[in-house]
Amino acid sequence: MPQEILLPVTDPRIVTELDALAKRYRGAAGPVMQVLGFVGGSAETLLNRLPAPVRSGLEGATERALTTALGAASRSRHVVGDRPDWVNRALTTAMGAAGGFGGLAGSAAELPFTVTMLLRAIQGIAAEHGFDPDSEEVRIECLRVFASAGPLEKDDGTDMGFFAAKMTVTGQGLNRLVAKVAPKLAAVLGQKLAAQTAPVLGAVAGAAVNYAFTSYYQEVAHVHFGLKRLAVDSREDEGLLREELVARMTRR
């Protein structure tokens, strides 16, 4: 069958929405970069600060944290309702302060709780945009937010967060996605760990780092689910809207 040719988006309302989403995505990493200046680090050197055993075990720890967080975040939504973005930032900031106060050991112990809080915040944003976080499909979409380039990486917008192939919505599919997301998120969390254990700064650095990372993933989630909502409301092809969004994100 001949491949369908999709024409560029020209509807002024959709164009305005896409421009706003692209601007939001480009600005998402701003708070993290400010924190890097605060703790005196850089994306290239942060991971080297961690002891070798911590670096080698980070991927497995991240995969376990993601698997646990998927269940815990979903269950918590039936006990405590979704909260505004600022409340989630405040909670993870407090966790970061507690972890940073305890040094590397405290920060490592805090990590799974922060991952759960981040995933819970992403689920809340999905619900805000009209999607059901309890559905397997939306749970997969929440994981894909973690698959976006980390806040310390240069992102051309073409990574798995936006262009992941459609996966079968089953437990096996979810597990495969966790395994794919874990290595990328592990690198990001390793940078977070190193930054929040900055000498002397301790709890202050931990609080600042968690605030910045939470802000980043919240912004990415708003872009991710905002695009999906735009596709539903406008009845435009979601793949076409993704391409239009990426073109705007990479425009100089």
Side-chain angles (χ1 to χ4, degrees):
M1 293 180 61
Q3 186 174 2
E4 181 182 4
I5 299 176
L6 298 174
L7 298 176
V9 173
T10 56
D11 185 317
R13 185 185 68 83
I14 299 177
V15 168
T16 299
E17 289 280 348
L18 287 170
D19 287 341
L21 288 172
K23 182 178 180 181
R24 189 166 197 169
Y25 191 90
R26 286 195 300 267
V32 181
M33 302 312 293
Q34 292 173 4
V35 169
L36 279 184
F38 171 67
V39 301
S42 69
E44 292 73 24
T45 61
L46 280 174
L47 279 175
N48 292 331
R49 292 183 182 179
L50 294 175
V54 175
R55 291 199 303 271
S56 63
L58 202 52
E59 187 175 320
T62 300
E63 187 168 344
R64 290 191 297 274
L66 275 175
T67 301
T68 301
L70 274 171
S74 296
R75 287 192 299 271
S76 72
R77 295 190 69 254
H78 299 287
V79 179
V80 179
D82 292 326
R83 299 171 290 257
D85 287 354
W86 72 267
V87 174
N88 289 316
R89 287 195 296 269
L91 291 171
T92 56
T93 296
M95 289 180 182
F101 183 79
L104 180 58
S107 296
E110 163 256 322
L111 207 57
F113 297 100
T114 293
V115 171
T116 300
M117 283 299 304
L118 288 174
L119 190 55
R120 170 64 197 271
I122 292 168
Q123 290 177 345
I125 290 168
E128 182 182 331
H129 286 277
F131 299 99
D132 178 12
D134 288 331
S135 74
E136 286 294 289
E137 184 175 0
V138 176
R139 292 175 78 194
I140 284 178
E141 294 300 331
C142 289
L143 270 180
R144 285 177 176 165
V145 172
F146 278 137
S148 68
L152 308 184
E153 299 178 28
K154 186 175 181 180
D155 182 18
D156 63 1
T158 59
D159 56 29
M160 195 164 64
F162 290 96
F163 284 99
K166 185 72 174 176
M167 299 187 70
T168 304
V169 185
T170 65
Q172 186 179 4
L174 200 61
N175 290 337
R176 289 202 308 270
L177 186 56
V178 167
K180 287 183 178 180
V181 170
K184 193 160 199 173
L185 185 59
V188 175
L189 294 180
Q191 293 162 344
K192 183 186 101 70
L193 270 180
Q196 74 183 83
T197 54
V200 181
L201 297 174
V204 176
V209 168
N210 263 25
Y211 178 89
F213 273 72
T214 304
S215 298
Y216 171 78
Y217 282 110
Q218 285 176 330
E219 290 298 284
V220 172
H222 277 294
V223 173
H224 188 81
F225 289 105
L227 182 71
K228 294 184 73 64
R229 172 47 52 190
L230 180 60
V232 172
D233 292 343
S234 67
R235 299 184 180 179
E236 286 281 359
D237 180 81
E238 187 177 334
L240 172 63
L241 293 182
R242 286 190 189 116
E243 291 181 7
E244 293 275 354
L245 177 60
V246 169
R248 285 161 172 77
M249 287 162 51
T250 57
R251 189 177 297 161
R252 294 293 179 260

